[in-house]
Amino acid sequence: MNSVPILKLDGISKSFLSNGRTIHALNGVTLELARGETLGIIGESGSGKSTLGRVAVGLETPTQGKLHIEGDPLDDLPAALRREKLRQCQMIFQDPYSSLNPQLRIARQIGEGLYARGLLDWRDINERVADLLERVGLKREHAERYPHEFSGGQRQRIAIARAVAPEPAIVVADEPVSALDVSIQAQILDLLIDLKKGGTLSYLFISHDMAVVARLCDRIAVMYRGRIVESGPTAAIIENAQHPYTRNLLDAVPRIGRRRTGRKPALVQLPDHGRQDFLVTVSPGHSVLQAAESGNNVNLPGANALP
Ligand code: ADP
Ligand code: MG
């Protein structure tokens, strides 16, 4: 068995300068994605999930830290090899309306990834595009159409076909159903599950919806203000969440949030950027971020409660 993670983020930070202010979108994020695994990234809006996804596919360069693909640190590779490695990482975006080029037939948009992979004959490409369209539940004839001729759900299927066309090892799905009608969300999730069956594809599945993540993912990493505050196997997170923020997320989902005994922990402000925090291992593979001066208590005392 190959135990080298297909993707590793090692101490990744990403800051943006916005109106003279520095925004720490990611603050020392470390995570590993195993081959064939689905890792859920969950957190509220603004917690840094999309930035993490964009870093993972090379759309964003980290301010600090290293991205490893199949054990190789990307920064240390020559440009051609880096591009080759990044082709292993494809992304599905939240909004299927803005992620497709309105001016190009979908055959062309899906075909580009095949061309990039070295398939040069247009007949081969067209054949593969037609196969891919069928695989995502569309028709071969759809290849010649333009994005505006499709519904939101169909467009997301096209975006998924485009993402898997170059046969990536990793697909980052950034809230892939959040912009879709509730009635078709389940179909798209089922499609993502289907595409992975029997293969070694890995997903980084980004969502703000704990119920969806709990259904799809082998492991869950909880993001809060640019950090992973807790991560572990899905069952461990659901049944034995330690961080107050994780518990808050779970309590918002009646179906999976257990009735918890005792006082509900207050959601607290995480300590500022740069302070020394450490990860406490709760059980194998399950760890929680704890502030350095908080002793054994994961409620991070001393910080201010959020409004
Ligand atoms: P999420 O996907 O969890 O909602 P994001 O990764 O989109 O979070 O954003 C994290 C933080 O970084 C937010 O405060 C956001 O405004 C900021 N941010 C993200 N991208 C940029 C950018 N290109 N320029 C400036 N700020 C950004
Ligand atoms: Mg986002």
Side-chain angles (χ1 to χ4, degrees), residues 39 42-43 88 105 118 130 213 230 266-267 273-274 284 296:
L39 172 63
I42 188 154
Q88 296 290 318
R105 291 180 200 276
V213 167
E230 185 161 10
L267 185 56
H273 176 68
N296 292 324

Side-chain angles (χ1 to χ4, degrees), residues 91-112 133 136 138 142-143 145-164 180:
M91 189 147 176
I92 301 163
F93 298 91
Q94 174 173 352
D95 182 4
Y97 288 89
S98 59
S99 67
L100 296 172
N101 185 333
Q103 268 142 27
L104 295 181
R105 291 180 200 276
I106 64 165
R108 168 82 185 277
Q109 304 195 47
I110 298 172
E112 266 167 4
L133 285 172
V136 299
L138 295 170
H142 287 157
R145 297 193 187 166
Y146 290 90
H148 76 263
E149 299 177 64
F150 297 93
S151 68
Q154 287 175 320
R155 286 184 203 212
Q156 201 58 313
R157 290 177 189 272
I158 295 164
I160 291 168
R162 183 184 56 184
V164 300
L180 303 178

Side-chain angles (χ1 to χ4, degrees), residues 212-244:
V212 168
V213 167
R215 180 180 155 218
L216 249 72
C217 301
D218 306 309
R219 276 196 307 134
I220 296 175
V222 181
M223 284 199 77
Y224 183 54
R225 305 198 166 192
R227 295 181 184 194
I228 292 178
V229 294
E230 185 161 10
S231 67
T234 300
I237 296 291
I238 289 173
E239 283 153 29
N240 191 24
Q242 300 292 311
H243 197 279

